[in-house]
Amino acid sequence: WGEPPQGPKAQLQLLEKMAAHTQYCHPGDNTFKATELAIKDVAARQADQRFVFVISDADLARYGLTPQEWNKILTSQPSVGAYAILIASNESEAETIQEALAPGRGHVCTDTEQLAATFERIFQASLGSS
């Protein structure tokens, strides 16, 4: 907070750091709880626009989680644009999750090199709806 990355290079470095972090997360799934906490935190802050980006391996079924539950959380706070970015080796599972989420809330990346373009699409869509 308070020090957003300035310029494309700094933004890319932040995205790479976020992607690298996902490789070292402990087993188990805290996706829904983390999403909920992030949305509450962002909603409580003063801002012109509020965003939450959840990067997930799209492995909800393994932990008995449903995309419908996640959709309720992602859309729980109208003042926050909350988005799921599904980085998955199993593209069909990721697409199933994406289809169950509200339009524009889920994005599938089969390769981390697609992350920057995915963020760009999300931001462009949010500018069109403002």
Side-chain angles (χ1 to χ4, degrees):
W1 290 106
E3 294 183 36
Q6 300 298 311
K9 182 178 179 181
Q11 292 168 350
L12 179 59
Q13 287 173 334
L14 175 62
L15 290 176
E16 288 172 341
K17 183 177 178 181
M18 291 167 57
H21 175 75
T22 64
Q23 296 176 24
Y24 302 101
C25 293
H26 295 290
D29 200 292
N30 292 296
T31 302
F32 290 5
K33 187 65 175 169
T35 303
E36 196 173 346
L37 290 171
I39 291 170
K40 286 180 182 178
D41 183 47
V42 170
R45 297 178 183 266
Q46 292 286 5
D48 293 333
Q49 289 185 295
R50 296 175 183 89
F51 296 97
V52 168
F53 300 98
V54 184
I55 299 176
S56 172
D57 63 3
D59 201 5
L60 301 183
R62 178 178 176 188
Y63 300 101
L65 305 174
T66 69
Q68 292 79 8
E69 294 173 76
W70 201 10
N71 189 58
K72 287 180 187 175
I73 297 167
L74 289 167
T75 59
S76 65
Q77 186 61 249
S79 68
V80 177
Y83 304 91
I85 299 174
L86 308 163
I87 300 176
S89 56
N90 183 343
E91 191 172 355
S92 68
E93 185 172 357
E95 288 173 348
T96 299
I97 294 168
Q98 179 185 30
E99 290 168 8
L101 300 178
R105 296 295 179 133
H107 300 268
V108 176
C109 288
T110 54
D111 187 329
T112 55
E113 290 182 14
Q114 298 171 333
L115 273 175
T118 300
F119 277 98
E120 184 177 358
R121 281 193 310 275
I122 292 169
F123 285 124
Q124 286 177 345
S126 73
L127 291 173
S129 66
S130 297

